[in-house]
Amino acid sequence: YGEGVILSEEQIKSINEDLYAGKLDLRGGLILIAGPEAEKKLIGGIDEQANFAAKMDMQALMSCCRAAISPGLAIEGWKTSVMEGPLINALAKQANTMLEENWTSVEAVAVALIKHRSLTYDEIKRIVDKKKGM
């Protein structure tokens, strides 16, 4: 991964294993959607690279839905889930509510990302805690 929040190889492996097992942590789905939603709010839209990444994130969510209803099938045999659209819409609505409630923290993290190009979880936590007065 290039810029942004850096996941460890162990985190990526765990996420992929859960995805292909049809397990979806909705917090993870919320995070996938919150990034592009925050960028739209911050700069009024998303650039081509971010749009591509957002599409890949949505594919991951849809794949998880498909894996959940296609147990034991190879990826090529996964069925389309009727829950894909409603799930993405519900997560986008929740992401926007969460962004509104925490916008000062989001802006502070965005400024730090622009300055440093990447942040660890602990760095982000310090920024957010400081903005919340913790």
Side-chain angles (χ1 to χ4, degrees):
Y1 298 166
E3 302 165 4
V5 177
I6 301 169
L7 300 176
S8 70
E9 289 295 321
E10 184 176 302
Q11 289 170 312
I12 294 168
K13 182 180 180 209
S14 175
I15 290 167
N16 285 334
E17 286 173 356
D18 285 350
L19 169 68
Y20 289 107
K23 298 177 186 174
L24 176 61
D25 179 341
L26 290 180
R27 294 171 300 176
L30 185 60
I31 291 166
L32 291 175
I33 290 180
E37 294 297 322
E39 186 169 347
K40 283 184 220 173
K41 181 174 172 57
L42 187 65
I43 63 172
I46 59 177
D47 65 22
E48 188 176 316
Q49 183 179 3
N51 191 42
F52 176 77
K55 285 180 182 178
M56 297 304 292
D57 289 343
M58 294 309 98
Q59 285 292 337
L61 281 172
M62 289 185 285
S63 293
C64 189
C65 291
R66 292 171 186 181
I69 65 167
S70 306
L73 296 177
I75 292 172
E76 300 79 30
W78 286 356
K79 300 171 188 143
T80 302
S81 171
V82 297
M83 291 306 299
E84 294 169 16
L87 175 64
I88 290 170
N89 291 336
L91 288 171
K93 183 177 178 181
Q94 186 176 353
N96 280 301
T97 298
M98 184 180 70
L99 289 168
E100 288 294 326
E101 292 170 356
N102 298 284
W103 190 247
T104 58
S105 295
V106 173
E107 284 183 312
V109 170
V111 167
L113 278 169
I114 290 167
K115 181 178 179 182
H116 301 289
R117 302 192 58 81
S118 66
L119 299 169
T120 65
Y121 170 83
D122 290 334
E123 290 166 333
I124 292 170
K125 185 166 179 5
R126 279 193 294 278
I127 293 166
V128 171
D129 287 349
K130 183 177 178 183
K131 278 293 175 188
K132 290 186 174 186
M134 300 174 134

